[in-house]
Amino acid sequence: MDFFDTLGETVASAGKVIGHKTKEVAGSTKLSLQISQEEAKVKKAYAALGEAFYDDHAEDMPEQYAIYAVDVKECLDRLNALKKEKQILKNQKRCVKCGALMPNEDKFCGKCGAENEILVKDAEPEEKEEATDEPEGETRVCPSCQAKVSAELIYCPECGEKLQP
């Protein structure tokens, strides 16, 4: 019987060790997850702080931060250029006043009437499909310049004249 008693004690002892180790691993894993979450929050807070600092001091950046500000400015300039290039490829631009999307060829915003520059792609020799300048869907005629315009627009994209409802 001694053998079985010893075996039982050994198994019970091993069970306690395994239970203790399981709790230890679970606690460690839980703490690791909490640490990762807090680190992510710190990174997000640092990013927000840096963005706010840049916005507040872009014109009068302290010397020790100037190199970072130059990097941010260069990245923002490239980002804006890429966005503009993408809009040109999609034959769209954003209104300088209200931000509405509009075709590149429109001189005036159809939503607010603001004058906008006409954006064009770099000249590329490519075959174009038969393009019609007529808007899709319901249209109406501008009383000022006689251009056909989309029915939902408030201003004529050709002359900037306010359209009658």
Side-chain angles (χ1 to χ4, degrees):
M1 258 316 182
D2 250 359
F3 171 75
F4 290 112
D5 289 338
T6 305
L7 181 62
E9 289 173 14
T10 305
V11 169
S13 175
K16 287 179 184 177
V17 169
I18 290 172
H20 178 71
K21 288 291 183 185
T22 302
K23 285 181 183 178
E24 190 177 295
V25 169
S28 177
T29 302
K30 182 178 177 181
L31 289 173
S32 292
L33 178 61
Q34 289 174 334
I35 289 169
S36 293
Q37 290 173 339
E38 289 304 315
E39 287 174 340
K41 288 178 185 177
V42 167
K43 284 183 181 182
K44 189 175 179 179
Y46 273 144
L49 175 64
E51 186 175 351
F53 184 83
Y54 179 84
D55 289 345
D56 289 347
H57 299 285
E59 300 300 321
D60 62 341
M61 187 62 63
E63 189 175 321
Q64 68 266 35
Y65 305 113
I67 191 162
Y68 304 114
V70 168
D71 286 345
V72 169
K73 172 117 175 60
E74 288 173 355
C75 289
L76 288 173
D77 289 346
R78 284 192 303 271
L79 182 63
N80 288 331
L82 290 169
K83 284 180 178 181
K84 191 171 187 178
E85 188 176 330
K86 183 178 177 185
Q87 287 176 336
I88 290 171
L89 285 174
K90 292 174 83 176
N91 196 34
Q92 294 179 328
K93 63 184 174 187
R94 291 220 175 258
C95 173
V96 295
K97 184 176 179 187
C98 72
L101 276 175
M102 56 193 281
N104 288 336
E105 306 81 32
D106 289 0
K107 298 173 197 165
F108 297 89
C109 176
K111 300 293 181 192
C112 73
E115 188 170 4
N116 285 262
E117 68 175 307
I118 295 176
L119 303 178
V120 292
K121 292 182 191 179
D122 293 335
E124 293 179 6
E126 63 179 57
E127 291 183 29
K128 289 188 174 182
E129 296 178 19
E130 284 292 317
T132 61
D133 290 339
E134 295 180 18
E136 293 181 19
E138 291 188 42
T139 61
R140 56 183 166 167
V141 176
C142 172
S144 179
C145 71
Q146 306 306 310
K148 287 187 178 181
V149 298
S150 181
E152 77 266 0
L153 297 180
I154 301 168
Y155 293 87
C156 176
E158 290 297 315
C159 69
E161 185 72 27
K162 186 165 184 166
L163 303 170
Q164 299 297 320

